[in-house]
Amino acid sequence: MIKRILVPTDFSKHSHNAFKFAEELASQSNAEVHIYHVIEAPSASYSEGSFNAEGQIETSGSHEEIVFTKSLVSKVKQKIHKLASEARHDHVKFHSHVEMGDVFKSIVGTAEDHDMDVMVIGTQGAQGLGEVLVGSTAEKLVRHSPIPVIAVKDDVDLSLRNIVFASEFNEDLSKVMPIVKQIQKLFGSKLHLVRVNTPNDFHSTRTMKHMMEEFVKKYDIDNYTINTYSDIVEEDGIVYFAEDIDADMVIIPTHARKGLMHLLSGSIAEDVVNHAKRPVMTIKI
């Protein structure tokens, strides 16, 4: 069940779009939204600083550094308060979190320590020094997040009438399908199952249809369509199929490959996140 939604923000336009998406998801699921910002400390002396129960900074920085950081934290909290004040649903509860440290490690740590169920991120952030949720950080979150990630790029239709679920349909997705089915039920979505046929991984239409039909029976899926799509590479096929049916979101199971395996195989999920115009949800198998 979705009860706690984590929204890392850098206060950019794309992060704001992610906030709106998270609020709508929270409204539908009766979940709480946790708005989270990481301050990349200007000094290594307190790059891993934190806050105690009274909200006071616990760090070993100099007096000037601490004064500067307190001022910065105050401004961040004001921005979070302003963001939450723009919410459209009065019944959604919001919580704010501000920490100092490494952006990726802090976000993952918060997701684990606070038992978050879903993370919603903006995939493009502010330019220059404010760019903290772009590039390598977003890729790491998509690839290694311990919880499902919804990457939001633009201001999107939040009705989620049509959802694309792209998979090989020959793996154990028992940890993936419960949240997929929950989102489908919350929004009354039609789930469009698609397997992309490529020259390097070709299966007959008959074989793929049989695999997907067995998948539907195994996970007791309703309100769905079964689709095959041909393209040179799988990620392009997923993006183009979603465009062809004007889908509202794409969901992809991921393997979280690391090291050499990731370099050799690439990441379909990351490529889809980078190229899709619509929200993309990745769920680690």
Side-chain angles (χ1 to χ4, degrees):
M1 298 292 291
I2 300 174
K3 291 300 180 183
R4 288 172 292 276
I5 303 172
L6 179 63
V7 186
T9 182
D10 59 5
F11 306 107
S12 66
K13 178 183 70 174
H14 298 283
S15 287
H16 190 263
N17 292 337
F19 167 77
K20 290 193 291 184
F21 189 99
E23 184 200 351
E24 189 64 31
L25 179 57
S27 176
Q28 295 292 334
S29 60
N30 197 30
E32 301 176 344
V33 175
H34 294 254
I35 308 171
Y36 184 70
H37 181 80
V38 182
I39 298 173
E40 291 188 294
S43 169
S45 63
Y46 58 99
S47 61
E48 298 298 329
S50 59
F51 303 93
N52 60 24
E54 288 72 38
Q56 299 171 326
I57 298 173
E58 294 181 334
T59 178
S60 58
S62 68
H63 174 72
E64 290 78 10
E65 290 172 335
I66 294 175
V67 170
F68 172 79
T69 303
K70 284 184 177 180
S71 174
L72 184 59
V73 169
S74 177
K75 291 179 181 178
V76 168
K77 288 184 176 180
Q78 289 175 14
K79 287 184 176 181
I80 291 178
H81 177 75
K82 182 178 183 299
L83 183 62
S85 70
E86 298 174 6
R88 294 169 294 177
H89 299 286
D90 294 336
H91 64 280
V92 176
K93 294 182 179 179
F94 295 94
H95 304 271
S96 64
H97 304 264
V98 182
E99 291 189 13
M100 295 183 294
D102 177 84
V103 176
F104 171 73
K105 291 180 180 179
S106 297
I107 293 173
V108 170
T110 295
E112 293 177 332
D113 295 343
H114 294 271
D115 294 323
M116 300 295 175
D117 300 303
V118 176
M119 183 187 309
V120 184
I121 63 172
T123 56
Q124 293 184 28
Q127 298 299 312
L129 294 178
E131 192 174 81
V132 297
L133 291 180
V134 190
S136 60
T137 300
E139 289 178 1
K140 287 179 182 178
L141 289 173
V142 169
R143 194 189 316 157
H144 299 301
S145 171
I147 63 174
V149 174
I150 302 176
V152 178
K153 189 175 296 181
D154 299 314
D155 192 1
V156 297
D157 182 358
L158 300 175
S159 62
L160 300 188
R161 294 181 298 271
N162 294 286
I163 297 176
V164 170
F165 182 77
S167 172
E168 299 292 323
F169 298 102
N170 58 1
E171 300 170 304
D172 179 9
L173 299 182
S174 57
K175 294 183 179 180
V176 172
M177 292 313 298
I179 190 169
V180 174
K181 293 178 67 176
Q182 183 186 1
I183 290 176
Q184 182 189 15
K185 183 178 180 180
L186 287 172
F187 290 91
S189 313
K190 178 168 289 235
L191 194 64
H192 300 272
L193 309 178
V194 62
R195 191 187 193 285
V196 178
N197 224 5
T198 66
N200 292 328
D201 187 19
F202 179 83
H203 297 274
S204 69
T205 299
R206 184 183 181 90
T207 298
M208 291 193 293
K209 182 181 178 182
H210 176 72
M211 290 169 60
M212 285 188 276
E213 287 175 343
E214 290 299 311
F215 182 86
V216 167
K217 291 179 182 178
K218 180 177 180 179
Y219 295 105
D220 191 26
I221 300 171
D222 57 14
N223 194 19
Y224 66 92
T225 66
I226 287 177
N227 308 271
T228 60
Y229 199 92
S230 298
D231 210 302
I232 303 300
V233 293
E234 188 173 353
E235 47 268 41
D236 285 349
I238 296 170
V239 171
Y240 296 150
F241 175 74
E243 290 179 357
D244 288 350
I245 69 166
D246 195 23
D248 300 298
M249 186 166 73
V250 177
I251 302 179
I252 309 174
T254 67
H255 290 276
R257 295 186 177 95
K258 299 179 180 180
L260 184 58
M261 283 302 296
H262 179 265
L263 293 174
L264 292 175
S265 64
S267 173
I268 292 172
E270 289 167 35
D271 287 340
V272 173
V273 167
N274 286 333
H275 297 118
K277 298 178 181 179
R278 49 204 29 86
V280 178
M281 183 176 194
T282 56
I283 309 174
K284 189 163 62 176
I285 297 175

